[in-house]
Amino acid sequence: MEFKYPIKTRAVWWERDQVCWIDTRRLPFEEVIVCTSDPGRMAKAIIDMEVRGAPAIGVAAALAVAAYARSIEDRSLSEFVEHVNKAIDMLWRTRPTAHNLFWALKRIRNKLDKAKRTASSSAEAAKALVDEALKIMREDIEANIRLGEYGARLIEDGDVILIHCNAGALATAAFGTVGGILRVAWYQGKRIKVITTETRPVLQGARLNTWEYTREGIPVTLITDNAAAYIIRKGLVNKVLVGADRITREGYVVNKIGTYGIALAAKRHNIPFYVAAPTSTIDLESSIDDVVIEERDPEEVRRVLGKYLITMPDIPVINYAFDVTDPDLVTAIITEKGIVYPPYQENLRKIIGS
Ligand code: MRU
């Protein structure tokens, strides 16, 4: 696949009728690639966050269903449809917050329903699913490139940008949403600097942002999560740029836990708070009251990197993976169709319809 910009880092891709991904749990210590056509293996990879980030989860789930479909294309059409539907149901239940997962699986399910009515063999149905999954993957990369070009218009030479969690190439099929904007700005010759939070407890900032942006040559500095508000207060950053797992019809931004606090600090100190997300993350059907915020295993908080116990072994823990940022704290939402400004309720609808 050819793209307008170099694709140096991929999170998930298609290879020899299998879905492959880089196990982000092991970065930056080891670069481990895993491939499968077993949807159960992919479900585990998504739950355990080997594959993570809303767009990457959606693409990975779609490719996993396609790979599985290919592996059972010698079965009768009715058996094929039954098994593929079960695989979709299993992947549907892996993580509840990222909209892209449901958006991608709905597209695959629609193709399956159509193939059930029109395909003359399971092989023909499997081909339709593979084509759709590859289209979802390609569209994700293209959306990130377009989004990156829109977003780069907001970035100036010399900017120091605070980011939280990884919304880079490692959170999408490739190129990234926040990562796309940083890359395009960097390729345009803007001398930007990035400050990333650690992003406890899974450490997507400390482990993934540092690895991904250093590979790209973009200067990146690490802070603890607790330092974000003080860094903003001191004027050490002049913009905030984050991704999203879901944007509701009212313009609420659901993103990595800690985003809300950063948005409040940005507002207090008058610096722009930008959200980068493809339209596949915008859910016009959901209002903020419908969104399920994932709560993860307490062990993620009790232990660092799943190993070192840092507290009393059975201490109670609250471990929300995401939080909610109110629309009035968001300066703009950058999508592949353009930059959306308030009022979001009205303007998100317009951009999705355009
Ligand atoms: O729990 P994660 O690592 O899947 O959370 C990821 C985020 O919160 C990202 O900011 C979001 O998915 C956008 S990725 C382009």
Side-chain angles (χ1 to χ4, degrees), residues 139 254 263 353:
E139 282 175 13
V254 181

Side-chain angles (χ1 to χ4, degrees), residues 249-251 327 330-333 340-348:
R249 61 169 174 256
E250 311 94 331
V330 177
T331 312
I333 299 173
V340 188
Y341 291 96
Y344 293 116
Q345 181 115 20
E346 200 178 313
N347 291 342
L348 286 174

Side-chain angles (χ1 to χ4, degrees), residues 199-245:
T199 327
R200 280 269 296 148
V202 180
L203 300 169
Q204 293 92 331
R207 295 185 303 101
L208 308 182
N209 284 336
T210 55
W211 184 79
E212 177 173 337
Y213 296 123
T214 301
R215 266 183 129 199
E216 199 69 59
I218 301 173
V220 53
T221 300
L222 180 65
I223 59 167
T224 61
D225 297 326
N226 344 24
Y230 188 57
I231 294 292
I232 291 173
R233 183 189 178 99
K234 285 207 41 116
L236 295 180
V237 294
N238 65 331
K239 283 180 180 125
V240 178
L241 186 51
V242 296
D245 282 80

